[in-house]
Amino acid sequence: MKNQEVARILYEIADILEIKGVEWKPIAYRKAARNIETLSEDIIDMYKKGRIEDIPGVGKNIAEKINELLRTGKLKYYNELKKSVPIKLEELNSVPSLGPKRMKILYDKLNIKNLKDLKKAAEKNKIRELNGFSSTLENEILEGIKGIESTKTRLLLGYMYPFAKEIESKLSEQKFVEKAVIAGSMRRMKETIHDVDILVTTTDSKKTIDLFTSLPKKKLLAKGTTRASIILHNGLQVDIRVLDNNHYGSGLHYFTGSKEHNIKLRNLAIRKGLKISEYGVFKGKKAMATKTEEDVYKTLGLRYIEPELREDNGEIEAALKNKLPMLVGYNDIKGDLQMHTKYSDGSNSIEEMALKAKSLGRSYIAITDHYGRLAIANALNKKRMLKQFNEIDRINKKINGIKILKGAEVDINSEGNLDIDVSVLKELDILVASIHSSFKNDNTKRIMKAMENKYVNVIGHPTGRIINRRNGYNLDFEKIFEKSKETNTFLEINSFPDRLDLNDINVRNAIKNKCKLIINTDAHLSDHLDFMKFGIGTARRGWATKNDIINTNKLNKFLSIIKK
Ligand code: DGT
Ligand code: CA
Ligand code: ZN
């Protein structure tokens, strides 16, 4: 059983408990589920070492359940819960705007248990008549079902990344390996991947392939003299291609893709009387460029193109005109302005978050626990928030080298108003406002109204999408970009692997409209602070420069930008 499967069962338990009206327990189960979903270790290994209770957010009770599940492949508690609520949660969960509460109404009133029942009822217009539903919501449900039927799921970059990195470094350590580098969609930082491609240059292909195919795995898919494929226990397929060191540059370029970028480049080469392959750029039989990727591009008369840009979205044309952007770098981010602690639905203390952020090179962070009515996330009230702010003051005195700002994440309600009063707002250094429910409303209007609130600095995960689970709502970005500039409210690139929201395309449009952005992790655990690189990757895929991202600035400059 893989991390994601265990997490899915815990999420489902949380949903069932919520449907049954149980309080608090759903929060605990969701917290544990999220921490397992984002774990960089294989949960089976942790189980074998008796370390399940080391997972943050997993107490004795939940640990016992996980151990039972991994020992027997079954969980009695879960099976009994499922019997008590015969709704196919895993199916209905993927429909936008359907949470546990609505599922219960649909079940009680129309006996809807699964996607098929739901579709039938929606097509017969039975749902719009229910209390709390409407024709808009019914249409949204139908659209959602169509969306689910048409998308095939791909793996999330951020969840797979540590597993691929581990293999990359294992290979790199070998004496007979010169270079081992992740290529393909993962190198391009695409939000989802189908598999991982690793290019290895070596003096001994046989030893390389033998070592690779002897790694712990579920299945050996292929083993040849220059390539091999395995499937890891977590379901991730990893391919390696072996070349000799002379072909490192052309090989890496070829296997990084994208295919579309490579094809366009190949056509450009042909027009120049050249041929291009993984073995180099050729004039007749003569190999011209093989050693580095820079050589490959140079031979074709181009500036080096960063992997994140290689999607045939105008990067080759820009390179020809020497108009490529200087992308924001992976070490350019100085602050992280959305994260949660134990005070709401996070798993670490303020101090633990600060120390980890400091170790990652951040010089300021904002603690933005949920505030207001969002009961599902154990949101704070004024009294608890003031207590938290005292603790922040104390830790700021204790720790050097990083400044902790006082923040909050507050829900934008269906009318675009915030669930927080002015006496609290005045205490804050920074406020993130996000939409968490009522997705059917006019979300452009809601967001614009929130932006007009002078206390709001950041709009969190602006489109609300969750990759593989729900599409984002449509927004009129032209209007939102204008409002963002007018009110100094910044749209977030949320780095959490299942959000990456804004996505690369939204970022590109924002930049074209001269709209500056902020990149945050939305960490709910100190390890999640590492997700920043996926937000940066998304920004780079959207052609963002350092100047486009406000949290590349030092603290004072940053504060003056958001307070303008
Ligand atoms: P994925 O795996 O679907 O997330 O996306 P990629 O881009 O990693 O694609 P993959 O794994 O099929 O192939 C890895 C790279 O190999 C790809 O990015 C470019 C190169 N490649 C694969 N097939 C072709 C091809 O037919 N023509 C060219 N020019 N390059 C190819
Ligand atoms: Ca791939
Ligand atoms: Zn949150």
Side-chain angles (χ1 to χ4, degrees):
M1 197 167 297
K2 36 185 148 147
N3 301 2
Q4 273 72 20
E5 283 168 339
V6 176
R8 192 186 49 76
I9 289 171
L10 300 183
Y11 276 128
E12 218 178 303
I13 291 175
D15 287 343
I16 301 174
L17 291 171
E18 200 175 323
I19 288 176
K20 292 171 84 87
V22 178
E23 289 192 32
W24 298 110
K25 271 193 181 177
I27 294 175
Y29 272 94
R30 285 204 180 95
K31 190 184 278 192
R34 181 161 44 212
N35 293 345
I36 290 166
E37 189 171 35
T38 55
L39 207 62
S40 56
E41 259 182 89
D42 197 326
I43 195 162
I44 307 275
D45 290 342
M46 296 192 74
Y47 162 73
K48 284 184 190 150
K49 292 176 191 149
R51 288 181 46 226
I52 291 297
E53 261 191 81
D54 291 353
I55 301 170
V58 174
K60 200 156 174 253
N61 179 33
I62 296 183
E64 271 170 20
K65 304 238 159 45
I66 298 172
N67 283 322
E68 178 187 328
L69 182 63
L70 296 177
R71 189 174 62 246
T72 66
K74 284 199 269 290
L75 178 56
K76 217 168 126 211
Y77 177 67
Y78 169 62
N79 289 337
E80 279 166 9
L81 273 178
K82 270 217 300 208
K83 263 185 233 144
S84 72
V85 180
I87 302 176
K88 278 236 157 61
L89 282 159
E90 70 277 17
E91 279 190 31
L92 296 187
N93 253 332
S94 44
V95 182
S97 40
L98 270 199
K101 288 203 187 77
R102 285 195 174 130
M103 288 181 204
K104 182 163 171 15
I105 299 174
L106 291 171
Y107 174 67
D108 289 345
K109 302 284 178 195
L110 298 174
N111 200 28
I112 290 173
K113 297 196 226 76
N114 52 39
L115 218 65
K116 216 171 119 198
D117 298 344
L118 182 70
K119 193 175 176 187
K120 240 194 256 162
E123 279 168 351
K124 289 189 189 153
N125 299 130
K126 283 187 173 167
I127 291 175
R128 59 180 67 188
E129 282 151 24
L130 296 174
N131 227 342
F133 289 78
S134 64
S135 55
T136 326
L137 182 52
E138 188 180 75
N139 286 335
E140 197 175 285
I141 289 173
L142 268 177
E143 285 299 306
I145 297 172
K146 274 187 218 141
I148 296 161
E149 288 167 345
S150 67
T151 49
K152 60 177 198 301
T153 55
R154 288 165 53 92
L155 299 166
L156 297 184
L157 167 71
Y159 294 168
M160 295 302 130
Y161 192 86
F163 294 92
K165 275 284 167 192
E166 198 185 319
I167 296 179
E168 184 191 54
S169 40
K170 180 93 198 171
L171 289 164
S172 302
E173 278 164 19
Q174 310 303 320
K175 273 206 203 85
F176 47 87
V177 168
E178 282 160 323
K179 293 193 184 90
V181 191
I182 293 170
S185 48
M186 187 172 271
R187 181 163 182 245
R188 304 195 312 276
M189 295 296 264
K190 201 168 158 161
E191 63 194 30
T192 58
I193 59 164
H194 171 256
D195 60 13
V196 173
D197 308 277
I198 301 183
L199 174 75
V200 186
T201 60
T202 172
T203 50
D204 192 332
S205 356
K206 185 173 183 313
K207 266 195 189 158
T208 306
I209 300 263
D210 284 345
L211 174 93
F212 175 73
T213 53
S214 71
L215 293 172
K217 64 187 167 301
K218 186 151 85 189
K219 201 169 164 194
L220 175 67
L221 284 180
K223 183 174 177 177
T225 51
T226 60
R227 57 171 68 203
S229 287
I230 59 174
I231 294 186
L232 306 183
H233 289 295
N234 68 1
L236 177 65
Q237 180 180 329
V238 184
D239 299 350
I240 59 165
R241 330 264 181 142
V242 177
L243 285 174
D244 64 58
N245 210 21
N246 286 329
H247 298 115
Y248 173 74
S250 47
L252 183 59
H253 180 266
Y254 181 86
F255 293 120
T256 296
S258 67
K259 196 170 159 183
E260 292 73 20
H261 173 91
N262 287 358
I263 289 172
K264 181 154 273 179
L265 214 59
R266 189 193 306 149
N267 291 336
L268 179 75
I270 290 170
R271 286 203 298 277
K272 293 181 181 259
L274 301 168
K275 256 179 71 184
I276 178 168
S277 76
E278 59 265 56
Y279 299 104
V281 182
F282 294 88
K283 187 160 209 159
K285 288 227 155 90
K286 186 169 168 262
M288 324 230 326
T290 53
K291 282 247 163 70
T292 68
E293 281 191 317
E294 282 81 355
D295 290 343
V296 172
Y297 285 108
K298 207 166 144 194
T299 312
L300 296 167
L302 298 175
R303 284 296 181 94
Y304 176 73
I305 301 176
E306 300 279 0
E308 294 88 338
L309 299 181
R310 301 182 197 167
E311 298 291 348
D312 188 21
N313 281 328
E315 72 280 7
I316 294 173
E317 293 80 354
L320 280 167
K321 290 188 220 140
N322 200 6
K323 287 219 159 118
L324 284 169
M326 189 53 184
L327 298 182
V328 56
Y330 286 97
N331 295 319
D332 284 341
I333 298 296
K334 301 211 168 57
D336 187 347
L337 291 306
Q338 191 189 169
M339 65 186 67
H340 303 263
T341 70
K342 279 183 180 165
Y343 276 85
S344 66
D345 59 346
S347 300
N348 285 97
S349 66
I350 298 169
E351 183 167 359
E352 285 162 347
M353 296 304 273
L355 289 173
K356 172 77 185 197
K358 187 180 158 183
S359 78
L360 295 173
R362 311 278 170 261
S363 59
Y364 56 97
I365 58 172
I367 302 292
T368 55
D369 275 307
H370 296 281
Y371 186 95
R373 261 175 316 210
L374 211 60
I376 200 169
N378 187 21
L380 301 188
N381 55 26
K382 184 170 176 185
K383 194 170 154 213
R384 288 172 62 217
M385 171 153 282
L386 293 178
K387 184 172 166 241
Q388 178 182 61
F389 287 179
N390 281 331
E391 189 177 334
I392 293 180
D393 287 335
R394 198 162 50 71
I395 294 170
N396 266 329
K397 282 189 196 119
K398 186 170 156 193
I399 308 178
N400 288 325
I402 185 157
K403 166 84 177 174
I404 309 165
L405 301 175
K406 294 168 184 166
E409 181 186 12
V410 36
D411 190 39
I412 302 174
N413 79 9
S414 49
E415 259 66 66
N417 296 318
L418 306 183
D419 189 13
I420 188 166
D421 63 67
V422 176
S423 70
V424 183
L425 289 170
K426 286 187 170 148
E427 304 288 327
L428 299 171
D429 297 313
I430 184 165
L431 179 61
V432 180
S434 333
I435 289 179
H436 292 102
S437 57
S438 316
F439 300 125
K440 70 189 154 104
N441 289 46
D442 182 342
N443 296 309
T444 302
K445 220 164 122 194
R446 284 166 93 184
I447 289 180
M448 303 237 296
K449 186 152 180 205
M451 285 175 146
E452 276 165 7
N453 183 319
K454 67 171 179 185
Y455 292 102
V456 174
N457 308 108
V458 175
I459 301 297
H461 45 73
T463 77
R465 70 121 168 216
I466 296 188
I467 302 175
N468 289 342
R469 270 180 36 216
R470 67 172 190 237
N471 295 329
Y473 31 79
N474 288 324
L475 291 174
D476 186 340
F477 273 111
E478 300 274 308
K479 280 190 188 160
I480 288 180
F481 293 149
E482 284 314 306
K483 189 59 79 183
S484 157
K485 286 184 279 185
E486 177 195 319
T487 60
N488 259 305
T489 317
F490 298 90
L491 299 173
E492 177 183 73
I493 300 174
N494 187 298
S495 306
F496 221 84
D498 62 358
R499 288 203 183 261
L500 296 177
D501 174 14
L502 302 178
N503 69 15
D504 47 6
I505 297 166
N506 305 146
V507 172
R508 183 104 182 255
N509 287 327
I511 306 297
K512 276 186 191 152
N513 282 277
K514 302 199 163 26
C515 184
K516 298 197 183 210
L517 304 169
I518 185 167
I519 311 179
N520 297 322
T521 60
D522 198 2
H524 285 66
L525 175 68
S526 58
D527 284 349
H528 294 164
L529 294 166
D530 268 326
F531 290 156
M532 187 60 86
K533 53 176 148 321
F534 307 117
I536 300 171
T538 301
R540 289 165 62 87
R541 289 176 60 83
W543 294 48
T545 67
K546 190 173 171 181
N547 191 37
D548 296 317
I549 308 296
I550 61 168
N551 51 326
T552 55
N553 289 292
K554 288 187 182 150
L555 177 60
N556 284 340
K557 178 86 191 288
F558 172 80
L559 288 174
S560 77
I561 290 173
I562 64 168
K563 289 280 136 63
K564 243 189 261 173

